[in-house]
Amino acid sequence: MNILLWFLFALVNFTLIVGMYKLFGKTGLFAWIAMGTILANIQVTKSIDFDLGFVTLAATLGNIMYGTLFLVTDALGEKYGEKDAKKAVYIGFFSLIATVIVMTIAIWFEPNEFDFAHDSIATIFGVIPRIAIGSLTAYAVSQMLDVHLFQRIKRRFPSDKLLWVRNNGSTIVSQFVDSLIFVPIAFLGEFPFEVVVEIFLTTYLIKVLVAALDTPFVYLIKRIKPLEE
């Protein structure tokens, strides 16, 4: 069930991005970056299993949402250039910092006797500062690397037909660096070492799969004329 739901979830995310771009243009992609950065760090607190029949793999949720950030920066870099792609990275970086600060202070408030949400909020956002440290470090390094590699590959392979090379080539390398930084910081000590290794492997494989699945949507965004522009 998780495997089928995962593919459906990926398609829903990609379709929503296309819709955001069609309705709001470049602004919609910037908005997705801000929203997606926050949601990915909330979703990653949930652990799931993928039962492949012969083996069950542990993974964290959030990899699809996080993968969409690379889709969006690649789309921005393709249509609007490196400056706007880097702007999206800065927006995502600040959005996560702001979320951590605001929600940390929110947890400090004493709940009244009628409150039912404080413990759940504290559970999720109490863990997020550590995850955010790993995520911010990995995000800044990997996203800037992705933007740089995308533009470098684009200069070497500028044809529209080779957009898939730019998209997948830059993402596969940068997502490896991202997982290598994020997983140990976020989960080492929280889970047994072998589980952390498993999460790293499944996380990276999932991100590579997301990059492959999002390729048609990058082509679609490139051809769409937004209503707002």
Side-chain angles (χ1 to χ4, degrees):
M1 182 61 187
N2 274 351
I3 294 174
L4 294 175
L5 189 58
W6 187 90
F7 280 101
L8 176 62
F9 194 37
L11 291 175
V12 168
N13 277 268
F14 300 151
T15 303
L16 288 172
I17 291 172
V18 173
M20 288 278 282
Y21 182 64
K22 179 63 178 178
L23 292 172
F24 308 109
K26 184 166 59 174
T27 302
L29 297 183
F30 287 143
W32 185 274
I33 286 286
M35 178 191 72
T37 306
I38 297 167
L39 290 181
N41 281 273
I42 294 174
Q43 291 176 10
V44 79
T45 61
K46 181 171 182 174
S47 299
I48 59 174
D49 287 329
F50 290 112
D51 186 358
L52 303 180
F54 61 93
V55 66
T56 299
L57 299 176
T60 57
L61 204 60
N63 292 314
I64 293 175
M65 180 59 71
Y66 195 71
T68 66
L69 305 181
F70 289 80
L71 183 163
V72 172
T73 52
D74 285 354
L76 284 166
E78 179 68 21
K79 292 202 74 170
Y80 301 101
E82 186 173 358
K83 183 178 179 181
D84 280 318
K86 287 184 176 180
K87 183 179 179 179
V89 176
Y90 301 145
I91 289 172
F93 191 82
F94 181 80
S95 297
L96 185 55
I97 290 177
T99 300
V100 171
I101 293 172
V102 170
M103 293 309 298
T104 299
I105 296 173
I107 293 172
W108 293 346
F109 283 87
E110 186 80 19
N112 66 23
E113 60 180 307
F114 304 108
D115 177 83
F116 62 88
H118 174 78
D119 290 343
S120 298
I121 293 173
T123 297
I124 294 174
F125 289 96
V127 176
I128 280 184
R130 176 178 177 175
I131 291 176
I133 291 172
S135 181
L136 284 168
T137 306
Y139 178 83
V141 174
S142 63
Q143 282 280 13
M144 284 302 183
L145 177 62
D146 182 70
V147 171
H148 172 74
L149 288 176
F150 185 90
Q151 295 300 325
R152 187 168 181 176
I153 296 171
K154 186 177 181 179
R155 287 193 291 269
R156 187 174 181 85
F157 303 102
S159 170
D160 286 350
K161 293 181 179 179
L162 295 177
L163 174 55
W164 67 273
V165 175
R166 304 192 283 276
N167 177 50
N168 288 279
S170 61
T171 301
I172 287 171
V173 175
S174 58
Q175 288 280 33
F176 180 81
V177 173
D178 179 89
S179 298
L180 194 62
I181 295 172
F182 172 72
V183 172
I185 294 176
F187 300 115
L188 204 57
E190 292 291 327
F191 298 113
F193 179 75
E194 60 272 17
V195 175
V196 174
V197 172
E198 190 174 321
I199 289 175
F200 168 77
L201 293 174
T202 55
T203 295
Y204 179 61
L205 290 174
I206 288 170
K207 289 176 178 177
V208 170
L209 182 56
V210 171
L213 291 174
D214 75 25
T215 302
F217 294 89
V218 176
Y219 276 95
L220 187 57
I221 290 173
K222 183 176 176 64
R223 295 174 182 176
I224 285 176
K225 183 177 181 181
L227 298 177
E228 291 289 324
E229 294 180 5

